[in-house]
Amino acid sequence: MTTLTHDPARTAPAGPARSGRGPRLGGPVWLVWRQHRAAFWTLIAVTVVGVLVIAFLRGRMMDFLGAQDAASQRSGGLPPEFEAYADRLFRVGSYLGYIPVLAGVFLGAPLIAGDLESGTAKLVTSQSVSRLRWLTVKLAVPAVMLTLSTAALTTAFTWWWNPVKGRSDGLIWTSFFSVTGVVPVAYALLTFAVGVAAGLILRRTLVSMVVTLGVVVALGFVWDQVWRSLGHIMSVSTDKGVGPGAVRPELPAQAEQQGEGTYFLASSGDRLDWTTCLDQMDNTRAHTACLKSEHVVGWSIDYLPVSQMHTMQWLGAGAMSALTAGIVAFVVLRGRKRLL
């Protein structure tokens, strides 16, 4: 028999009311906040510090760019001295890339597994709070906190990156695709849901964290391999020959070349691999004759344009959100039937 003889939904608001501090929450919401307040306050502190650091670094970068002469500004390029500022941009971006890992391993995996392991879940659900309500609040409060935190950090980072976006090859949009826009939020919620599901199934905090880490790493590998397929690959070609002096096609600004490299373009419109006639390279005449026999008239290059970035991000975020919704549905249905 439980020793908790009162209704936590009725008495929970008294905690913050007596102290006179903190949000005036009630029932399971207050209970979840109280139970995980250390993690939530850490998340808030990291977010505030991160945004302030990004704002400071952006300010220094803008001061540096503002000090450049007008000719350099008109050229659109960046001076060699900008490399140190670009390194900071990449470093912070790489740190933001760890948000999904942290969300899944340290926030999602222990969320329910810890309650099942300690017996808190049995204690709470034996009172007037239903399993569905407890699960809903248990998932919603951390998800909202994680969404706000990730959105704040990635918005600040995007604000930092925008003034120099595309002004050098190293700052091309594909290098920051997964840490700007809506992708980081959807990605963090997905890994959070994966961690919660692992905790519900395995029911042991440490084991759930280890398994979640493995799954999140696998998800990251898959994402890195497939996200470019969300865009529509375009091509640019020339038909002025491929011999000495022939100019290869120039990619649009901020475009990323795709595929293995440059293709040969035949008069029929077909594209041939760049290794065509490679074995005759040592003999100029034989090589020219080989290319003529293949009816090669120019070059062709595949690329992804920057104009597709936001569409690709929304498509990726939509796919992640659908997967997240499926995992959450599984957690809720399994939790209602087999929580204890």
Side-chain angles (χ1 to χ4, degrees), residues 1-5 122-123 126-127:
M1 179 181 297
T2 177
T3 59
L4 183 60
T5 58
K122 184 175 182 179
L123 180 64
S126 65
Q127 307 305 307

Side-chain angles (χ1 to χ4, degrees), residues 83-283:
E83 183 177 351
Y85 296 91
D87 288 342
R88 295 190 189 104
L89 195 62
F90 276 110
R91 193 178 305 117
V92 174
S94 67
Y95 294 156
L96 294 181
Y98 288 109
I99 291 178
V101 179
L102 299 175
V105 175
F106 293 102
L107 189 59
L111 190 70
I112 293 179
D115 286 355
L116 292 173
E117 198 169 21
S118 64
T120 304
K122 184 175 182 179
L123 180 64
V124 173
T125 55
S126 65
Q127 307 305 307
S128 62
V129 179
S130 66
R131 292 182 181 182
L132 178 60
R133 185 183 180 192
W134 180 76
L135 282 170
T136 302
V137 175
K138 193 75 172 177
L139 292 171
V141 175
V144 169
M145 294 293 298
L146 183 61
T147 298
L148 294 176
S149 176
T150 306
L153 288 169
T154 55
T155 299
F157 183 78
T158 304
W159 173 60
W160 180 13
W161 171 57
N162 274 335
V164 293
K165 180 171 62 177
R167 292 182 62 180
S168 73
D169 293 338
L171 297 174
I172 192 169
W173 63 277
T174 51
S175 299
F176 301 94
F177 181 86
S178 296
V179 293
T180 57
V182 295
V183 171
V185 175
Y187 199 174
L189 290 176
L190 172 60
T191 56
F192 168 73
V194 167
V196 173
L200 181 63
I201 295 171
L202 300 173
R203 309 172 74 87
R204 293 292 182 269
T205 301
L206 184 58
V207 176
S208 301
M209 293 173 71
V210 173
V211 171
T212 300
L213 177 61
V215 175
V216 170
V217 170
L219 283 174
F221 176 78
V222 173
W223 173 248
D224 288 340
Q225 299 300 313
V226 305
W227 70 260
R228 285 178 173 81
S229 63
L230 297 172
H232 174 64
I233 295 179
M234 305 183 72
S235 62
V236 58
S237 307
T238 62
D239 57 359
K240 306 301 181 182
V242 296
V247 179
R248 299 194 181 196
E250 183 177 349
L251 295 179
Q254 303 185 45
E256 182 189 66
Q257 182 173 320
Q258 302 296 297
E260 298 180 355
T262 305
Y263 298 89
F264 288 127
L265 180 67
S267 58
S268 62
D270 294 334
R271 300 197 306 177
L272 308 176
D273 192 83
W274 66 273
T275 58
T276 302
C277 302
L278 185 63
D279 53 344
Q280 281 90 23
M281 280 292 294
D282 294 336
N283 189 322

Side-chain angles (χ1 to χ4, degrees), residues 50-68:
V51 170
L52 291 176
V53 169
I54 288 174
F56 172 75
L57 293 176
R58 184 186 187 275
R60 294 193 63 181
M61 182 188 75
M62 296 306 294
D63 290 342
F64 171 81
L65 294 176
Q68 303 305 304

